[in-house]
Amino acid sequence: MRNLIFLFVRHGGFVTFIFLEILCMYLVVNNNQAQREIYFNSVASVSDALTDRYDNVAQYIQLSTVADSLARENARLLAEADNARFIKAIFRDSIREPEKGQLFVFQSAKIISNSINRSNNSITIDRGRNHGIKPSMGVIGADQKGVVGIIKRCTGNYSRLIPLLHRQTKISAAIQRNGYFGSIVWRGNDSRTVSMIDVPKHAQLEIGDTVQTSGYSTIFPPGIMLGTIDTFWRQPGSNFYEINVGLSMNFSSVKYVYVVENMHQEELNQLESAESDE
Amino acid sequence: MSNVIVANIFRFLGLVILQVLVLRSINLGGADFNYISIIIYPLFLILLPLRTPHSLLVLLGFVLGFFVDVFYDTYGVHASASVFTAFIRPYILAIYEPKGGYNINYSPTKHRFGINWFLIYAATLLFLHLFFYFSVDAFTFYYIGDIFLRTIFSFLVSIILVVIYQFVFDPKE
């Protein structure tokens, strides 16, 4: 203790200086927008570089684990493809199309940048036009169950997507138990919750009901998990419920995704545009 | 003794008020040449008595900078520069030490040490203060050219004001 006091008396100026500069930098980063952004960008680029290096090493060491998970992934993908084929079968029967075919195909991709804490977030994946990705394809989770978003822009090797956590998002969804459908939107405040709107007031809801994609859009196959009902209420006088859905997908840790391609997208588009021409 | 403290308290208040109420709103460069800020408040640190303990000096630097920050709405930016200026002051004083050494009962003023000595001493501290301030303001050395330009232009204007202050008030303490 005496030594400590002695040290302070001799180098008090330096100790005070270091302490106060740290305090000042803390104040600067916490209270000034420009400096704050520079600080977090710098931290992010350093930590990105570190993570990247760690990933490389870890991937090499964990090859056997990766192989295992790939096998599991394949099995799940097969089930997924069956699901897609089932819808196709009904289609085919009704229009008597002779050959068998796939309606939805899946392509794996890796997320290379992701944000969750803004009011309009964005995600970048490492697949682009060269791999057959086109705007308005759907993206679903691979290592986690759930909808991730919709492709917005593509370059040769990369694509940018509008994630579920974006105010422009509107995805057709249905309640698994009874099939009532509505739209999923995001209010911009919580990365673990989305809102489901346009569900009519005579629908019978229960907390914990599963919400999944409805299949009424050409983007996602039906039955992709979205989340479960947390709370629901109705504004007095409104005919529709407002439902809070807790997401099954954890957007802060999702890493691998599948891009969903609807093989009949163009055909369906033509049908719709023909209708609007009339 | 108490004279020195009272004088410094008044100087502190006067300089902060002058800085935040008058100089803050002056933009000499206009909208196209945003390189000139008039910064005079470090003069308080420059003129503190020679016998001020080092840690007290640094602490006063923080208090001064923090007051200015409150009005500039840039918490920490001015404070970090002032803390830095206060910290390096003894080392700058050591560099410019006259042949006979300092009388530690004095304050480093024009009145005690002459205009030449004071000008060199004050200019060094003011320049380093401004450079540190604009560096923290930019928060990256990517714009190092801009930082230097701002430092130099602001320094030229501010040092004139510092010298005028010495001639108008000619403080002993």
Side-chain angles (χ1 to χ4, degrees):
Chain A
M1 193 62 200
R2 264 184 60 188
N3 282 341
L4 209 67
I5 293 170
F6 184 67
L7 195 77
F8 185 80
V9 170
R10 279 204 59 182
H11 303 287
F14 184 69
V15 174
T16 320
F17 168 68
I18 293 295
F19 170 74
L20 288 177
E21 278 298 351
I22 291 171
L23 178 65
C24 286
M25 290 305 152
Y26 176 80
L27 286 172
V28 168
V29 169
N30 271 287
N31 293 294
N32 300 278
Q33 192 57 32
Q35 282 91 336
R36 183 189 179 83
E37 273 166 19
I38 293 171
Y39 171 76
F40 281 112
N41 276 337
S42 316
V43 170
S45 60
V46 170
S47 75
D48 276 0
L50 284 178
T51 318
D52 207 34
R53 203 162 290 180
Y54 172 80
D55 269 7
N56 283 343
V57 176
Q59 268 176 19
Y60 206 76
I61 293 170
Q62 297 174 353
L63 273 180
S64 65
T65 327
V66 170
D68 272 1
S69 81
L70 279 180
R72 266 205 306 281
E73 217 27 73
N74 263 340
R76 216 179 63 74
L77 192 59
L78 277 179
E80 200 83 64
D82 268 340
N83 179 11
R85 224 177 263 131
F86 177 61
I87 301 159
K88 173 72 180 171
I90 293 172
F91 246 164
R92 194 184 60 238
D93 282 349
S94 56
I95 61 169
R96 296 180 188 285
E97 190 179 80
E99 79 268 27
K100 287 190 173 184
Q102 194 84 18
L103 182 55
F104 288 103
V105 292
F106 301 84
Q107 181 168 179
S108 70
K110 189 177 172 186
I111 291 181
I112 59 167
S113 95
N114 186 1
S115 71
I116 59 166
N117 50 11
R118 308 196 195 122
S119 60
N120 287 320
N121 294 291
S122 66
I123 292 179
T124 311
I125 58 171
D126 64 349
R127 290 282 182 273
R129 241 182 282 125
N130 298 346
H131 312 96
I133 310 289
K134 280 178 234 132
S136 85
M137 284 183 180
V139 179
I140 60 174
D143 47 354
Q144 291 175 34
K145 277 196 159 187
V147 169
V148 176
I150 296 170
I151 303 277
K152 189 187 177 199
R153 268 204 314 276
C154 304
T155 57
N157 293 314
Y158 297 98
S159 299
R160 201 99 161 123
L161 52 117
I162 300 184
L164 214 49
L165 306 184
H166 192 289
R167 294 198 196 193
Q168 283 172 19
T169 299
K170 198 164 188 188
I171 288 173
S172 176
I175 290 158
Q176 189 185 31
R177 194 162 53 82
N178 49 25
Y180 282 106
F181 66 93
S183 299
I184 292 285
V185 294
W186 189 56
R187 305 287 191 209
N189 37 19
D190 186 353
S191 69
R192 285 164 303 177
T193 312
V194 290
S195 300
M196 185 171 177
I197 55 171
D198 298 344
V199 177
K201 68 175 177 185
H202 57 267
Q204 296 194 343
L205 305 176
E206 267 171 45
I207 288 173
D209 274 354
T210 300
V211 178
Q212 57 186 23
T213 55
S214 67
Y216 291 158
S217 82
T218 58
I219 296 171
F220 294 105
I224 303 289
M225 172 90 169
L226 274 157
T228 51
I229 295 181
D230 273 351
T231 52
F232 59 90
W233 69 93
R234 197 157 50 80
Q235 298 286 347
S238 165
N239 285 326
F240 298 102
Y241 278 114
E242 169 98 20
I243 305 171
N244 272 349
V245 178
L247 287 171
S248 59
M249 162 88 48
N250 182 353
F251 272 86
S252 54
S253 71
V254 59
K255 188 117 192 165
Y256 295 96
V257 295
Y258 291 119
V259 181
V260 185
E261 182 177 5
N262 186 330
M263 304 293 274
H264 291 181
Q265 182 78 51
E266 269 182 32
E267 197 177 329
L268 287 162
N269 284 351
Q270 274 172 13
L271 190 65
E272 274 172 26
S273 65
E275 209 159 79
S276 61
D277 284 348
E278 279 169 16
Chain B
M1 175 67 193
S2 62
N3 256 349
V4 184
I5 295 174
V6 171
N8 274 293
I9 288 173
F10 274 107
R11 192 181 296 137
F12 180 96
L13 294 174
L15 284 174
V16 169
I17 289 169
L18 178 65
Q19 182 70 50
V20 302
L21 293 188
V22 183
L23 300 181
R24 184 168 81 104
S25 41
I26 297 179
N27 185 1
L28 282 182
D32 300 329
F33 191 75
N34 193 15
Y35 286 95
I36 307 174
S37 319
I38 311 174
I39 303 282
I40 193 179
Y41 67 90
L43 189 56
F44 169 73
L45 299 172
I46 292 173
L47 291 180
L48 276 173
L50 287 171
R51 61 169 181 272
T52 315
H54 198 184
S55 37
L56 177 64
L57 194 65
V58 174
L59 195 66
L60 286 174
F62 178 77
V63 174
L64 173 71
F66 191 79
F67 264 78
V68 175
D69 272 332
V70 168
F71 291 97
Y72 272 72
D73 199 23
T74 55
Y75 290 93
V77 182
H78 285 280
S80 64
S82 300
V83 167
F84 171 74
T85 309
F87 174 70
I88 58 165
R89 195 186 91 144
Y91 306 110
I92 303 298
L93 279 170
I95 293 173
Y96 298 135
E97 187 164 350
K99 265 191 193 130
Y102 291 110
N103 180 342
I104 59 149
N105 288 319
Y106 286 175
S107 293
T109 54
K110 169 182 99 51
H111 183 89
R112 298 286 191 192
F113 295 91
I115 180 67
N116 285 339
W117 181 90
F118 178 79
L119 192 59
I120 294 173
Y121 157 73
T124 310
L125 274 182
L126 189 65
F127 188 87
L128 291 171
H129 177 92
L130 287 168
F131 181 72
F132 197 95
Y133 165 68
F134 287 117
S135 302
V136 177
D137 190 45
F139 218 60
T140 160
F141 283 115
Y142 188 78
Y143 301 109
I144 184 76
D146 256 26
I147 292 173
F148 264 114
L149 279 183
R150 275 169 214 272
T151 306
I152 289 164
F153 283 114
S154 303
F155 170 76
L156 290 176
V157 179
S158 303
I159 193 70
I160 292 170
L161 217 61
V162 167
V163 172
I164 290 174
Y165 181 97
Q166 291 302 305
F167 278 99
V168 171
F169 295 100
D170 197 16
K172 257 187 208 164
E173 305 301 342

